[in-house]
């Protein structure tokens, strides 16, 4: 008598899984090299385990159901693959009703998403990610749409939102909520849900595979990550909560990902997602750049997150110039020495100026260098903000004001929650535009934006 042993792999092959990136619910949104990278890593592991996996990215600007955006964004960014999202104007939620901005759902129209899903074969499981805590309405709506089409499909929520707001995330009726960013724990919980051993024992093993980009039919750009974690502990950031330790990926694998995206999709533009890209550059980033330069391909590289000035040494700047970096953003945040120290002590003005000199000497123009200044976080006065903007402009550089958003798990969030206790219970109030208005800083912000936009 033949007895067939059902291994985890044969069981897995019977299951269909949808991995999904929901809409953005916000006042503003723009595709600045935005892809659900963590979800694509998980999809790759599910594929390797034998599952049948499909992707729904509600923010895919190449989706046939995505209308043109009214805000296309700056020409320079469009040339690098970025662009605006279609926006459906929605009534403002009660907690945001006093904010004088149009609130909406960014991405593929709801009707087109329903049409897309209804044309697919039923799924057994759907794994939905959610990035920003205040984008959760998109994940909740997508769960409801999936349940409406396939009532027996088990819908699982993961991502940064349930990690930082786990109790809030558990109240929406998902079949399971994964409240962890640790890749080993995430895949262990996924494996329990799927009744399958995904056989990933370490974070190194998790990142030894590549994100499954082939789930997309077309790409404007690629996003890559060479490391996770950050050596600093800034008061406004939750990086240490999400990634307590620093881990570097194999540079050879990263180069292979770049080369594959170029040859498969014709991708020329790549954005780095690292929190600390230049940390210990001799052991990682410089080796990576050497291998990229050897490819001799017409590639362009971008740094949307900003980099640490303290690691921007002459050799690093020289290699970045040779590798054809086009979007350079340095994180300064503030020029106040006192606030620099109490928020993380990652930069001072002399170190910042030294980094700028390194970039200028190797050939980067002032127009290619932008400087992040963080607006709205606890501590700085209006004079501090004005002084920071004027300082950057005196150096002949363009200040880019980044709006502060209260992030659960950060030191500053705990300070603010004592003043605004409602932010503990409603993640919509973490929205940077909402925070700007309900703290009464919108007029100062408008003044600073006008100053930033004046010709240098």
């Amino acid at each position: 008598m033949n007895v067939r042993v059902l291994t985890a792999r044969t069981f897995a092959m019977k299951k269909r899984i949808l991995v999904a990136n929901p809409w953005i619910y916000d006042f503003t949104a723009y595709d600045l090299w935005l892809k659900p990278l963590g979800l694509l890593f998980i999809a790759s592991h599910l594929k390797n385990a034998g599952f049948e996996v499909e992707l729904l990215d509600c923010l895919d600007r190449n989706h046939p159901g995505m209308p043109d955006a009214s805000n296309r964004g700056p020409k320079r960014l469009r040339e690098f693959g970025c662009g605006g999202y279609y926006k459906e104007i929605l009534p403002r939620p009660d907690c945001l009703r006093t904010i004088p901005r149009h609130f909406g759902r960014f991405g593929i129209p709801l009707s087109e998403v329903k049409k897309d899903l209804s044309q697919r074969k039923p799924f057994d499981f759907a794994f939905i990610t959610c990035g920003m805590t205040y984008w959760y309405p998109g994940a909740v709506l997508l769960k409801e749409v999936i349940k409406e089409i396939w009532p027996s499909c088990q819908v699982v929520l993961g991502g940064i939102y349930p990690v930082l707001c786990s109790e809030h995330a558990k109240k929406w009726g998902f079949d399971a909520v994964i409240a962890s960013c640790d890749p080993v724990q995430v895949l262990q919980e996924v494996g329990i849900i799927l009744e399958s051993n995904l056989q990933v024992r370490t974070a190194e093993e998790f990142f030894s595979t590549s994100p499954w980009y082939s789930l997309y039919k077309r790409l404007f750009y690629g996003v890559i990550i060479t490391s996770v974690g950050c050596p600093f502990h800034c008061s406004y950031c939750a990086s240490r909560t999400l990634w307590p330790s620093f881990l570097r990926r194999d540079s050879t694998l990263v180069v292979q990902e770049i080369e594959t995206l170029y040859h498969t999709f014709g991708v020329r533009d790549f954005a780095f997602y690292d929190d600390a890209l230049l940390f210990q550059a001799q052991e990682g980033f410089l080796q990576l750049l050497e291998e990229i330069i050897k490819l001799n391909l017409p590639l362009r590289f971008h740094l949307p997150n900003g980099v640490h000035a303290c690691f921007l040494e002459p050799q690093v700047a020289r290699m970045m110039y040779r590798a054809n970096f086009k979007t350079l953003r340095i994180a300064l945040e503030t020029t106040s020495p006192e606030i620099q120290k109490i928020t993380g002590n990652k930069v001072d003005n002399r170190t910042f100026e030294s980094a700028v000199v390194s970039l200028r000497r190797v050939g980067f123009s002032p127009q290619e260098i932008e400087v992040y200044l963080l607006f709205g976080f606890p501590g700085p006065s209006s004079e501090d903000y004005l002084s920071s903007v004027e300082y950057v402009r005196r150096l002949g550089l363009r200040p880019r004001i980044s709006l502060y958003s209260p992030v659960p798990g950060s030191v500053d969030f705990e300070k603010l929650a004592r003043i605004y206790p409602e932010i503990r219970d409603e993640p919509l109030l973490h929205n940077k535009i909402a925070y700007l208005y309900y703290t009464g800083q919108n007029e100062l912000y408008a003044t600073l934006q006008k100053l930033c936009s004046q010709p240098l």
Side-chain angles (χ1 to χ4, degrees):
M1 168 171 133
N2 269 334
V3 178
R4 185 182 176 197
V5 178
L6 287 180
T7 65
R9 184 174 180 81
T10 54
F11 176 82
M13 292 181 70
K14 296 182 179 181
K15 301 298 178 182
R16 280 177 47 78
I17 299 175
L18 177 71
V19 292
N21 187 34
W23 304 273
I24 290 174
Y25 274 63
D26 210 325
F27 297 99
T28 62
Y30 187 75
D31 183 8
L32 190 70
W33 303 292
L34 189 60
K35 282 287 180 286
L37 196 57
L39 191 69
L40 297 178
F41 271 108
I42 291 172
S44 185
H45 284 285
L46 293 174
K47 175 190 67 171
N48 293 341
F51 290 91
E52 188 178 344
V53 183
E54 294 182 17
L55 170 70
L56 170 68
D57 187 348
C58 294
L59 302 178
D60 181 6
R61 292 190 291 119
N62 284 307
H63 190 282
M66 179 78 87
D68 292 335
S70 57
N71 172 29
R72 298 178 62 207
K75 180 181 178 182
R76 187 169 189 270
L77 287 176
R78 296 201 308 270
E79 291 174 350
F80 296 150
C82 302
Y85 292 118
Y86 175 75
K87 180 180 182 181
E88 294 180 277
I89 305 283
L90 301 175
R92 288 190 295 272
D94 286 344
C95 64
L96 304 178
R97 65 183 181 277
T98 62
I99 309 300
R101 297 282 193 96
H102 288 301
F103 189 75
R105 181 171 53 234
F106 291 84
I108 304 168
L110 175 59
S111 59
E112 291 294 328
V113 169
K114 289 183 176 181
K115 177 182 175 182
D116 177 311
L117 292 178
S118 64
Q119 293 173 347
R120 306 195 195 199
K121 293 191 299 182
F123 291 96
D124 301 293
F125 299 90
F127 290 90
I128 299 176
T129 189
C130 187
M132 297 296 188
T133 57
Y134 47 88
W135 289 350
Y136 74 84
V140 174
L141 176 61
L142 189 54
K143 181 263 297 181
E144 294 171 354
V145 170
I146 292 170
K147 286 289 191 180
E148 177 185 326
I149 298 172
W150 306 296
S152 62
C153 179
Q154 292 190 45
V155 185
V156 181
L157 176 67
I160 293 175
Y161 159 59
V163 173
L164 299 181
C165 303
S166 59
E167 293 305 312
H168 189 271
K170 290 175 183 176
K171 73 179 187 179
W172 298 109
F174 288 88
D175 293 293
V177 174
I178 298 177
S180 174
C181 268
D182 178 84
V184 177
Q185 184 176 342
V186 168
L187 284 190
Q188 285 177 345
E189 294 190 37
V190 169
I192 291 171
I193 293 166
L194 299 177
E195 298 180 326
S196 174
N197 183 358
L198 297 178
Q199 299 180 343
V200 173
R201 295 161 296 181
T202 65
E204 287 81 2
E205 288 182 0
F206 179 88
F207 288 109
S208 66
T209 189
S210 295
W212 194 10
Y213 271 115
S214 292
L215 287 170
Y216 290 95
K217 294 181 179 178
R218 185 185 174 202
L219 290 170
F220 288 126
Y221 56 79
V223 297
I224 50 180
I225 190 164
T226 73
S227 64
V228 292
C230 180
F232 296 100
H233 195 183
C234 297
S235 62
Y236 43 78
C237 180
S239 178
R240 283 289 184 92
T241 300
L242 300 172
W243 293 103
S245 58
F246 183 82
L247 171 67
R248 177 175 287 107
R249 298 182 69 210
D250 181 358
S251 62
T252 302
L253 180 60
V254 176
V255 173
Q256 289 174 356
E257 292 169 5
I258 293 170
E259 194 171 12
T260 298
L261 285 172
Y262 174 78
H263 290 296
T264 304
F265 291 98
V267 169
R268 293 186 58 195
D269 291 283
F270 294 86
F272 286 89
Y273 269 23
D274 299 57
D275 288 328
L277 179 65
L278 308 185
F279 179 55
Q280 297 176 343
Q282 293 287 349
E283 301 172 22
F285 185 59
L286 290 177
Q287 296 176 18
L288 173 67
L289 292 188
E290 287 177 0
E291 295 182 47
I292 287 174
I293 292 168
K294 288 177 184 177
L295 290 177
N296 195 30
L297 295 175
L299 309 177
R300 298 177 295 208
F301 295 94
H302 310 279
L303 302 173
N305 286 350
V307 291
H308 295 100
C310 59
F311 302 135
L312 234 173
E313 299 174 348
Q315 185 183 9
V316 173
R318 183 166 55 253
M319 292 294 286
M320 288 169 61
Y321 187 81
R322 289 183 59 199
N324 203 29
F325 276 68
K326 290 298 183 182
T327 304
L328 298 170
R329 293 179 176 173
I330 309 175
L332 177 60
E333 320 301 12
T334 178
T335 57
S336 165
E338 295 77 14
I339 298 174
Q340 287 171 346
K341 289 177 182 177
I342 63 175
T343 56
N345 205 26
K346 69 177 182 181
V347 66
D348 56 53
N349 298 340
R350 178 178 292 182
T351 300
F352 168 75
E353 291 175 18
S354 177
V356 172
V357 169
S358 294
L359 293 172
R360 294 297 313 279
R361 281 180 176 170
V362 299
F364 287 107
S365 69
Q367 292 75 27
E368 293 176 306
I369 305 170
E370 292 183 337
V371 182
Y372 273 135
L373 297 175
L374 185 59
F375 179 83
F377 65 106
S381 65
S382 57
E383 291 76 16
D384 290 326
Y385 288 124
L386 287 167
S387 176
S388 295
V389 170
E390 290 169 353
Y391 168 85
V392 174
R393 287 176 54 83
R394 281 198 304 271
L395 293 176
L397 302 176
R398 178 72 64 189
R400 174 176 287 271
I401 297 180
S402 177
L403 284 177
Y404 170 77
S405 171
V407 182
S410 67
V411 173
D412 284 346
F413 184 88
E414 295 305 316
K415 294 179 182 177
L416 290 169
R418 291 193 286 270
I419 305 172
Y420 309 104
E422 58 272 22
I423 68 175
R424 290 192 186 278
D425 302 319
E426 180 48 78
L428 286 175
L429 296 176
H430 305 167
N431 183 291
K432 58 184 183 294
I433 299 293
Y435 177 79
L436 179 70
Y437 278 90
Y438 72 71
T439 56
Q441 300 180 92
N442 49 294
E443 291 185 4
L444 175 58
Y445 173 68
T447 298
L448 294 173
Q449 285 289 69
K450 287 182 180 179
L451 180 58
C452 290
S453 64
Q454 291 178 4
L456 293 171

